[in-house]
Amino acid sequence: MTIRHLLNRTLSVWRPAPGQGDGLGGRRTAYVDTGRTVPAKVDQPSAADQMLAQRPGAEHTHTVYLLPGADVVRGDQLRDGAQVFRVIATLTPSSPAYLKAPVTLLQEQPA
């Protein structure tokens, strides 16, 4: 069984690359476009997920469903226009019908 018919968006995959020094002894993370896109479905989290997201330190804002075997890993960014999602983890159910990725929607801070 496949979920391909439910995947209604195409997201580009961006992966962290070694960044430049920040001048303070740390490094800035730079993301580079891998040139790949993945079909996806982006859902709002369920009520149970929202309860977990209210805990201190929680980051989960959306869930992205992908085809099994999609080359998406923790730390990647999935982008669609102005929306940028950071992948928290990737999870495969016991029967690999899909790949589930809890993500954080990144929003720019107002200037």
Side-chain angles (χ1 to χ4, degrees):
M1 185 165 118
T2 180
I3 64 163
R4 186 176 296 277
H5 66 285
L6 299 173
L7 307 179
N8 57 5
R9 291 176 73 172
T10 300
L11 303 175
S12 60
V13 180
W14 291 62
R15 191 149 284 164
Q20 300 291 326
D22 64 5
L24 300 171
R27 292 214 172 270
R28 293 179 193 205
T29 301
Y31 287 86
V32 293
D33 188 351
T34 64
R36 289 179 291 104
T37 59
V38 291
K41 181 173 189 301
V42 179
D43 280 350
Q44 296 291 329
S46 68
D49 290 336
Q50 290 177 17
M51 290 295 291
L52 289 173
Q54 292 176 9
R55 298 173 70 186
E59 301 176 330
H60 181 196
T61 63
H62 293 74
T63 300
V64 175
Y65 293 92
L66 307 156
L67 290 173
D71 185 15
V72 173
V73 297
R74 179 182 180 176
D76 283 353
Q77 288 184 350
L78 301 174
R79 298 183 182 189
D80 181 14
Q83 284 193 314
V84 178
F85 301 97
R86 185 176 51 81
V87 178
I88 299 169
T90 57
L91 311 161
T92 304
S94 56
S95 64
Y98 59 87
L99 182 67
K100 179 180 177 179
V103 299
T104 299
L105 175 62
L106 302 178
Q107 298 178 331
E108 291 192 27
Q109 297 291 329

